[in-house]
């Protein structure tokens, strides 16, 4: 499922179905369903299926799939992360922020920390909280100071804030 989404990704928002090749979501869904059937005790398989459901706009289905992921592993980064994403879609920002923070606490890898921080940036953006966004952009830079992409994202944020000189620096 992950490979299908990665291979079929075109550009843009990774939660937008239009950002993928036409058959990528269908393949990802088939693989995720197969994974849940092959190992019905695997929380991550259910969390991955919920991700596909979220991208496809099947939010109620995603919610029930996440319930199963939590039943299997209440300490799963992936279950908490996709719960944050789902709550953001429903514009339940305080809950989304709480769940993203919990996912961050459960993260074991740098990419998971980046995902959680990126989600928190999106939530702060939706709430119009530029101060929080800025702190989160800087936290992502601190994760890997050699990763140029994080500087570019921060620069774009600064530019949008009218802080052109700072943006040019980053």
């Amino acid at each position: 499922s992950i490979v299908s989404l990665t291979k079929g990704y075109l550009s843009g928002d990774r939660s937008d179905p239009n950002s993928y090749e036409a058959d990528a979501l269908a393949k990802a869904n088939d693989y995720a369903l197969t994974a849940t059937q092959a190992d019905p005790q695997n929380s991550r398989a259910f969390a991955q299926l919920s991700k596909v459901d979220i991208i496809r706009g099947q939010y109620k289905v995603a919610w029930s799939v996440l319930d199963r992921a939590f039943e299997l592993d209440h300490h799963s980064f992936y279950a908490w992360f996709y719960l944050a994403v789902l709550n953001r879609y429903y514009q339940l920002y305080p809950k989304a922020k709480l769940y993203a923070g919990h996912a961050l606490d459960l993260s074991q890898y740098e990419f998971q920390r980046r995902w959680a921080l990126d989600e928190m940036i999106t939530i702060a953006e939706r709430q119009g909280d530029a101060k929080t966004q800025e702190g989160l952009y800087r936290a992502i830079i601190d994760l890997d100071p050699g990763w140029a992409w994080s500087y570019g994202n921060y620069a774009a944020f600064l530019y949008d804030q009218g802080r052109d000189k700072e943006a040019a620096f980053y």
Side-chain angles (χ1 to χ4, degrees), residues 3-162:
V3 172
S4 295
L5 290 176
T6 302
K7 187 176 177 185
Y9 175 70
L10 299 169
S11 68
D13 181 350
R14 290 187 182 271
S15 61
D16 183 345
N18 297 318
S19 296
Y20 297 89
E21 292 176 357
D23 64 339
L25 286 175
K27 286 181 181 178
N29 188 65
D30 290 345
Y31 288 132
L33 278 172
T34 299
T36 62
Q37 293 164 353
D39 187 357
Q41 300 303 310
N42 187 324
S43 175
R44 186 165 178 195
F46 285 93
Q48 180 64 27
L49 180 58
S50 75
K51 174 184 180 176
V52 176
D53 290 331
I54 290 168
I55 295 169
R56 295 173 61 199
Q58 304 294 319
Y59 305 128
K60 289 182 181 180
V61 173
W63 209 282
S64 66
V65 172
L66 275 175
D67 283 344
R68 179 66 180 143
F70 274 107
E71 286 174 21
L72 295 169
D73 183 0
H74 198 70
H75 301 287
S76 165
F77 164 84
Y78 297 98
W80 284 102
F81 176 76
Y82 293 120
L83 185 60
V85 172
L86 193 54
N87 273 271
R88 175 176 46 86
Y89 276 105
Y90 279 106
Q91 298 179 2
L92 301 171
Y93 300 125
K95 284 184 179 183
K97 185 178 179 180
L98 177 72
Y99 300 147
H102 197 61
L104 180 62
D105 291 343
L106 292 170
S107 65
Q108 297 177 342
Y109 305 102
E110 183 180 308
F111 79 89
Q112 291 175 332
R113 287 186 280 283
R114 187 176 295 119
W115 285 10
L117 291 168
D118 279 337
E119 182 61 24
M120 294 168 90
I121 287 170
T122 302
I123 294 163
E125 179 183 13
R126 301 280 166 83
Q127 292 182 300
D129 185 351
K131 183 178 180 181
T132 297
Q133 281 179 270
E134 183 167 4
L136 293 166
Y137 278 114
R138 294 182 71 76
I140 289 175
I141 289 171
D142 290 343
L143 281 178
D144 183 358
W147 194 48
W149 193 263
S150 58
Y151 290 94
N153 289 341
Y154 183 45
F157 164 78
L158 292 170
Y159 181 78
D160 288 344
Q161 297 297 309

